[in-house]
Amino acid sequence: MVEAALRSGAASRRCVFEVFARRLPEGRRYGVVAGTGRLLEAIEAFRFGEAELEALRGVVDEATLSFLAGYRFEGDIWGYAEGEAFFPGSPVLVVESDFAHGVVLETLVLSILNHDSAIASAASRMTSAAGDRPCIEMGSRRTHEEAAVAAARAAYIAGFGTTSNLEAGRRWDVPTAGTAAHAFTLLHDDERAAFKAQIETLGKGTTLLVDTYDVPKAVETAVELAGPELGAVRIDSGDLLVQAREVREQLDRLGATKTKIVVTSDLDEYAIAALAAAPVDIYGVGTSLVTGSGAPTAGMVYKLVAREDASGSLVGVEKKSKDKQSVGGRKYALRRRNARGVGEAEVIGIGEPPVDDGDDRSLLVPLMRAGEVVDREALSLEKARTRHTESRAELPAAARRLQRGEPAIPTIYDAGSR
Amino acid sequence: MVEAALRSGAASRRCVFEVFARRLPEGRRYGVVAGTGRLLEAIEAFRFGEAELEALRGVVDEATLSFLAGYRFEGDIWGYAEGEAFFPGSPVLVVESDFAHGVVLETLVLSILNHDSAIASAASRMTSAAGDRPCIEMGSRRTHEEAAVAAARAAYIAGFGTTSNLEAGRRWDVPTAGTAAHAFTLLHDDERAAFKAQIETLGKGTTLLVDTYDVPKAVETAVELAGPELGAVRIDSGDLLVQAREVREQLDRLGATKTKIVVTSDLDEYAIAALAAAPVDIYGVGTSLVTGSGAPTAGMVYKLVAREDASGSLVGVEKKSKDKQSVGGRKYALRRRNARGVGEAEVIGIGEPPVDDGDDRSLLVPLMRAGEVVDREALSLEKARTRHTESRAELPAAARRLQRGEPAIPTIYDAGSR
């Protein structure tokens, strides 16, 4: 495409590309934008090195190779801030540049936003179901080795407290936590020897895994060895509802009233909600988090919505493909809120910003100007995490229902005064 | 775990870790092992650098830091060759080393095998449904940016002909292919100008996207501009079955009888099968491929199955957790075949290899010995691809049914003469 556009001369036309999801995954009430921070860093660093150019020699012509060799994104980018909720049609990212520089970014933009937003969207439902109880992200083993690091980051934005992925800790300061595996118990001559070794090294505040052989026996041994200061026990199999109650009773009976109960074992948002009445203190979530709990990709697309015409004016463009029509024109967006600050609609302005009713909140923030990140501080993970909490709290209560349903607020297109 | 095991002295015990999936994803008939080649490279390169050690300072003690600083895997690894079919309980990887060196690899091993095998398992069903028609992998935008590259590789192993991911082409010589997007058409003043630009640059053999505005009109323009040498047209929306027929008729009527039809638009193995009777030449598959078509992870686990005891002998170990019991002991495996070479069972030997009936095929091959790759040539992508074709062809016909059902062959544990 770049080669043909360079040759036809259209490559230099000013363009507006827009990222949006046509719909939310089946039954979901809202989505969560994540990956923005990673994406802006990736765009700043996006270059074609010698090895890449060499591989493309013969695939594209010399003019295209030379364009790619000098590639550096120098356009403007607006978008929803990381952690923000989004809805069908929300213009989560708006890229303004010439065609060639903008179209080259498509795969990078969508890969990062689709992956990270899918994880954050699932994670938000889980932390919402967990209420005040902390969630540990522990799904690294169930997804691609680099996706795992990004998943830990996205989960943290959406309210997870910690991750077992140490690289996410190193790279982005995501708080880390972990517990021992069954292998540690099986390695030792017996469970007592394993618990003893773990307590000697990690202290009585550690979390002991109690379901390798027989849960009541393990709990007894654990409290015998660590006393009432035992930090936590982890249950990873069987009926968690029943076992959490039994273990809680046993711990209390043994005097370990402050010892916490961590549950793991294929938890998802529904299992977490089902355990709300059980004496569980911490949820460890793996597989279903890193696979987006049934929706492993956010379904965002990157579409050309406006471009310069022969006379130099910017005109909206849209495809007419069956079931896949797009809405042309540069978009603006605000979250319409009632006087109590509760979200009522996602209002999308075409060609100009929609009018603020007084209690509304504008959603598109400048992210990159002439290829430079506008506000590096606003990209911090902690800010995204806080932003997510606020954005979710602002949605109507229906948003936090786990049952399948319509998006929590409708999307309204506002063609403005045109 | 490593710190506690180093302190308890158990870290140096000889261990056998095993990778297996307890079950196949709901209704699947077989799984496909992929990622082995990537994994062995990753293990050879697995080191803790200065930055990683610095981040772990304070998390683990000095003895553990020093162990990690000197980390280099020097154990032995056996496994199913890449591309091979697997079933519940198949010991797809067997890692022999001391505890500390083996346990550290868990996340790396599982991340790579779970991801790549999930993609290859889905891809194999798609290429099976597509029969002789080639499939193009084009899902990069719907998954993490690095997972995308690995997904293209896994899809190729399972029979996809090409990928739109150029990095997979560069890194592993996966053949690449691509078509233009709607943005290219929308960029130009009209469809004719876009087609003209594309043909001028890429020749008449190119693939023109014909559903941006009106399909019959686009096909007419395409043939008018390129003549009967037009390579292909792509349809990306609407009812593909109906449209493929209409477009084929129109192309034939216009004399473009050799022009091919590429279809894309949320295809999965079922949609591919439904198009078997339609005049489609090539399938382009994106989202559902890179998300494993409903099963985004292969569900493999990494379990300690044997370890040295105090007297120095290797003993089988297994956990008794409810619903998650493991089978202790070092495993061996063969595919039992009848006299016609058709697979009949996955026979897993515990502690010793099962006896070959005469027509059987041993499944575990040596992959790494004392930390060195045993046969680098056997790891080639082309060999894995051929191996997959053969392994799939050897399974009973039921394996290639798309309907949900039981695994194509049963798994039988054979405790041998013990």
Side-chain angles (χ1 to χ4, degrees):
Chain A
M1 279 198 284
V2 171
E3 182 177 334
L6 284 171
R7 201 175 308 185
S8 78
S12 60
R13 286 187 165 183
R14 270 190 303 134
C15 284
V16 181
F17 292 91
E18 179 187 313
V19 176
F20 63 95
R22 280 180 218 288
R23 63 193 77 84
L24 299 178
E26 180 75 23
R28 290 279 181 90
R29 309 306 184 109
Y30 63 100
V32 179
V33 176
T36 322
R38 291 212 304 124
L39 174 60
L40 296 179
E41 273 179 30
I43 292 176
E44 283 188 305
F46 199 68
R47 299 287 187 281
F48 290 79
E50 268 316 308
E52 284 82 18
L53 294 169
E54 198 42 56
L56 290 171
R57 198 172 298 277
V59 179
V60 294
D61 67 7
E62 283 302 318
T64 310
L65 280 178
S66 146
F67 164 80
L68 295 174
Y71 186 90
R72 192 195 181 309
F73 182 75
E74 286 171 340
D76 298 340
I77 300 181
W78 280 260
Y80 280 37
E82 193 159 18
E84 187 66 81
F86 73 88
F87 297 90
S90 296
V92 297
L93 206 79
V94 175
V95 176
E96 301 193 351
S97 71
D98 66 37
F99 178 77
H101 284 84
V103 79
V104 162
L105 292 181
E106 171 168 355
T107 302
L108 184 72
V109 168
L110 289 180
S111 288
I112 293 180
L113 294 182
N114 272 326
H115 175 267
D116 291 16
S117 301
I119 307 305
S121 299
S124 176
R125 286 160 60 84
M126 293 168 183
T127 57
S128 181
D132 293 335
R133 296 174 178 174
C135 295
I136 310 178
E137 186 285 305
M138 43 206 295
S140 294
R141 291 161 300 167
R142 303 306 178 93
T143 186
H144 181 279
E145 67 274 23
E146 273 297 323
V149 193
R153 180 184 180 279
Y156 184 65
I157 290 173
F160 271 63
T162 46
T163 176
S164 64
N165 191 298
L166 289 165
E167 176 64 8
R170 188 187 76 77
R171 215 180 280 181
W172 297 302
D173 283 329
V174 179
T176 57
T179 74
H182 295 100
F184 186 78
T185 299
L186 294 172
L187 169 68
H188 290 83
D189 291 331
D190 54 36
E191 198 169 51
R192 173 177 298 266
F195 285 1
K196 213 160 158 265
Q198 189 175 333
I199 293 164
E200 271 168 16
T201 300
L202 296 160
K204 292 176 176 174
T206 192
T207 299
L208 295 173
L209 176 58
V210 292
D211 75 333
T212 306
Y213 304 111
D214 176 78
V215 174
K217 238 187 114 202
V219 171
E220 201 185 311
T221 308
V223 179
E224 193 192 315
L225 291 171
E229 294 111 282
L230 176 61
V233 295
R234 174 160 81 101
I235 314 170
D236 180 51
S237 55
D239 184 328
L240 297 176
L241 194 66
V242 171
Q243 294 207 76
R245 288 195 177 126
E246 289 174 357
V247 168
R248 182 73 270 159
E249 262 178 45
Q250 189 185 358
L251 285 170
D252 290 349
R253 206 166 52 234
L254 295 170
T257 53
K258 297 217 166 117
T259 298
K260 292 183 170 166
I261 296 178
V262 182
V263 294
T264 55
S265 187
D266 287 332
L267 294 182
D268 60 12
E269 61 267 47
Y270 302 102
I272 290 171
L275 288 164
V280 165
D281 299 284
I282 297 166
Y283 300 101
V285 191
T287 309
S288 82
L289 175 72
V290 299
T291 58
S293 197
T297 184
M300 291 177 188
V301 293
Y302 185 87
K303 295 294 166 193
L304 181 69
V305 292
R307 50 108 180 130
E308 201 175 2
D309 66 11
S311 75
S313 339
L314 205 64
V315 292
V317 291
E318 53 193 44
K319 59 174 179 156
K320 307 288 186 194
S321 318
K322 284 169 195 159
D323 317 323
K324 284 186 174 177
Q325 257 197 268
S326 53
V327 179
R330 208 284 197 194
K331 310 298 187 312
Y332 298 84
L334 58 74
R335 190 143 302 150
R336 179 135 298 158
R337 302 187 293 188
N338 65 19
R340 296 186 317 281
V342 180
E344 291 190 319
E346 191 81 341
V347 186
I348 300 172
I350 303 171
E352 57 187 79
V355 177
D356 188 329
D357 268 3
D359 300 298
D360 301 346
R361 191 161 61 82
S362 182
L363 293 166
L364 282 181
V365 297
L367 297 172
M368 209 171 226
R369 197 167 288 141
E372 300 289 334
V373 168
V374 172
D375 182 357
R376 218 165 282 275
E377 221 177 280
L379 299 180
S380 93
L381 215 51
E382 291 301 331
K383 287 209 170 146
R385 187 173 153 88
T386 305
R387 194 180 292 123
H388 176 63
T389 308
E390 292 167 0
S391 179
R392 185 173 65 185
E394 180 190 78
L395 297 177
R400 289 172 292 281
R401 280 192 207 130
L402 292 182
Q403 307 97 292
R404 286 167 177 251
E406 294 299 309
I409 55 175
T411 299
I412 298 170
Y413 285 91
D414 178 356
S417 53
R418 294 186 312 165
Chain B
M1 282 198 281
V2 172
E3 182 177 335
L6 284 170
R7 202 175 304 186
S8 78
S12 61
R13 285 186 166 185
R14 270 190 303 136
C15 285
V16 181
F17 293 90
E18 180 187 313
V19 176
F20 63 95
R22 280 181 219 289
R23 62 193 77 84
L24 299 178
E26 180 74 24
R28 290 280 182 89
R29 310 306 184 107
Y30 63 99
V32 179
V33 176
T36 321
R38 289 211 305 125
L39 174 60
L40 296 180
E41 273 179 29
I43 292 176
E44 284 187 305
F46 200 68
R47 299 286 186 282
F48 290 80
E50 269 316 309
E52 285 81 19
L53 293 169
E54 199 43 57
L56 290 171
R57 198 173 297 277
V59 179
V60 295
D61 67 7
E62 283 301 319
T64 310
L65 281 177
S66 145
F67 163 79
L68 295 174
Y71 187 89
R72 192 196 182 308
F73 183 75
E74 286 172 341
D76 298 339
I77 300 180
W78 279 259
Y80 280 38
E82 193 160 18
E84 187 66 80
F86 73 89
F87 297 90
S90 297
V92 296
L93 205 79
V94 175
V95 176
E96 301 195 351
S97 70
D98 66 37
F99 178 77
H101 284 84
V103 80
V104 162
L105 292 182
E106 171 168 356
T107 302
L108 184 71
V109 168
L110 289 180
S111 287
I112 293 179
L113 293 183
N114 271 326
H115 175 268
D116 291 16
S117 300
I119 307 304
S121 299
S124 176
R125 285 160 59 86
M126 294 168 182
T127 56
S128 182
D132 291 335
R133 298 174 177 175
C135 294
I136 309 177
E137 186 285 305
M138 42 205 295
S140 294
R141 292 160 299 169
R142 304 306 178 92
T143 186
H144 180 280
E145 67 274 24
E146 272 298 323
V149 193
R153 180 184 180 280
Y156 185 64
I157 290 172
F160 271 64
T162 48
T163 177
S164 64
N165 191 297
L166 288 165
E167 176 63 9
R170 189 187 76 78
R171 216 180 279 178
W172 297 302
D173 285 329
V174 179
T176 56
T179 74
H182 295 101
F184 186 78
T185 299
L186 294 172
L187 168 69
H188 290 83
D189 292 331
D190 55 35
E191 198 168 50
R192 174 177 297 267
F195 285 2
K196 214 161 157 265
Q198 190 177 331
I199 294 165
E200 272 168 15
T201 300
L202 296 161
K204 292 177 175 174
T206 193
T207 299
L208 296 173
L209 175 59
V210 292
D211 74 334
T212 305
Y213 305 110
D214 176 78
V215 175
K217 236 187 115 201
V219 171
E220 201 184 311
T221 308
V223 179
E224 192 192 317
L225 292 170
E229 295 109 281
L230 175 62
V233 295
R234 174 159 81 101
I235 314 171
D236 181 50
S237 55
D239 184 329
L240 298 176
L241 195 66
V242 172
Q243 294 207 76
R245 288 195 177 127
E246 289 173 358
V247 168
R248 182 72 270 159
E249 261 178 46
Q250 190 185 357
L251 285 170
D252 289 349
R253 207 165 51 236
L254 296 169
T257 53
K258 297 216 165 119
T259 299
K260 291 182 172 170
I261 296 178
V262 182
V263 294
T264 55
S265 187
D266 286 332
L267 294 182
D268 60 11
E269 62 267 47
Y270 302 102
I272 290 171
L275 288 164
V280 165
D281 299 284
I282 298 165
Y283 300 101
V285 191
T287 308
S288 83
L289 174 72
V290 298
T291 59
S293 197
T297 184
M300 291 176 186
V301 293
Y302 185 87
K303 295 294 168 195
L304 181 68
V305 291
R307 50 110 179 128
E308 201 175 3
D309 67 11
S311 74
S313 335
L314 205 63
V315 293
V317 291
E318 53 193 44
K319 60 175 180 155
K320 306 288 185 194
S321 320
K322 285 168 193 160
D323 316 323
K324 283 186 173 177
Q325 257 197 269
S326 53
V327 180
R330 208 280 196 198
K331 310 296 187 312
Y332 298 83
L334 58 75
R335 189 142 303 148
R336 180 136 297 157
R337 302 187 293 188
N338 65 19
R340 294 185 317 282
V342 179
E344 291 190 320
E346 192 81 340
V347 185
I348 300 172
I350 303 171
E352 58 186 81
V355 177
D356 188 329
D357 268 3
D359 300 297
D360 301 346
R361 191 162 63 82
S362 181
L363 293 165
L364 283 180
V365 297
L367 296 171
M368 210 171 227
R369 196 167 288 141
E372 302 288 335
V373 168
V374 172
D375 181 357
R376 218 165 282 276
E377 222 177 279
L379 299 180
S380 92
L381 215 51
E382 292 301 331
K383 286 209 171 145
R385 187 173 154 89
T386 306
R387 194 181 291 124
H388 175 62
T389 308
E390 290 167 1
S391 179
R392 183 173 67 186
E394 181 191 77
L395 298 176
R400 288 172 294 279
R401 280 190 207 131
L402 293 182
Q403 306 98 293
R404 286 168 178 251
E406 294 299 309
I409 55 174
T411 300
I412 299 169
Y413 286 91
D414 178 357
S417 53
R418 297 185 313 163

